[in-house]
Amino acid sequence: MYTHTGTAPLLGAAENILSALRPRSTSPVDPVAMACSDLELSVVQIKRNLGDLMDCVRAGLTPDPDLVLRSRRDQVLASERAVAAIRTFIAHSEGRAAEDLLVERVWRDVKTAQTHVASNVEQVLALVGRHSFGMEVDEILW
């Protein structure tokens, strides 16, 4: 669950940027609408995974590799989606982002958080892929 502590603030940052900039959405499939959907999906996945992990803990069980790796996969993808959503909201803000100090600060913080090893998408997806094909995955890398 530790790795989720870096992702939750990224999702919150994306939602704050959306509220601050209010980029226009012209259709249900334009970039802003899709970014909003990505954020909603990420929040649902994170809540489900944390709930499942907590259920294991409450039952005195250790989460199995499928749950742990699903959780990690969803966590890194949520981080990536949050950064992409912020980028989209800024791009579609009609120039308001350039003048907003909140946006500047959030963008710096998000770019810094993105460099954390817990948000390494390629590494986590490689582990998930290896596990999916029945290959051994070193638990320390989860």
Side-chain angles (χ1 to χ4, degrees):
M1 290 195 287
Y2 166 76
T3 57
H4 291 79
T5 61
T7 300
L10 292 177
L11 293 169
E15 290 174 353
N16 283 336
I17 294 297
L18 174 62
S19 294
L21 296 180
R22 297 189 191 104
R24 292 182 191 235
S25 180
T26 56
S27 81
V29 293
D30 74 6
V32 171
M34 296 301 289
C36 290
S37 293
D38 283 347
L39 290 177
E40 290 174 21
L41 168 67
S42 295
V43 169
V44 167
Q45 287 177 325
I46 296 293
K47 283 182 178 180
R48 180 187 90 174
N49 291 332
L50 288 175
D52 290 349
L53 289 166
M54 289 301 296
D55 288 345
C56 283
V57 171
R58 285 186 195 105
L61 303 172
T62 300
D64 66 7
D66 290 335
L67 174 56
V68 173
L69 289 170
R70 181 190 80 200
S71 177
R72 283 289 283 134
R73 178 200 64 205
D74 294 348
Q75 175 261 315
V76 296
L77 291 175
S79 293
E80 189 172 73
R81 287 185 204 116
V83 173
I86 292 169
R87 191 176 286 120
T88 298
F89 299 154
I90 290 171
H92 291 85
S93 68
E94 300 175 354
R96 292 185 305 275
E99 303 165 4
D100 196 319
L101 295 176
L102 169 70
V103 172
E104 180 183 332
R105 175 60 193 254
V106 167
W107 185 245
R108 278 196 320 263
D109 291 350
V110 164
K111 293 303 286 181
T112 300
Q114 191 180 24
T115 64
H116 193 279
V117 68
S119 296
N120 187 327
V121 177
E122 292 80 16
Q123 181 184 25
V124 172
L125 293 182
L127 291 173
V128 171
R130 288 176 55 92
H131 178 73
S132 297
F133 285 107
M135 300 169 78
E136 282 194 41
V137 177
D138 187 355
E139 289 183 22
I140 197 149
L141 297 176
W142 290 356

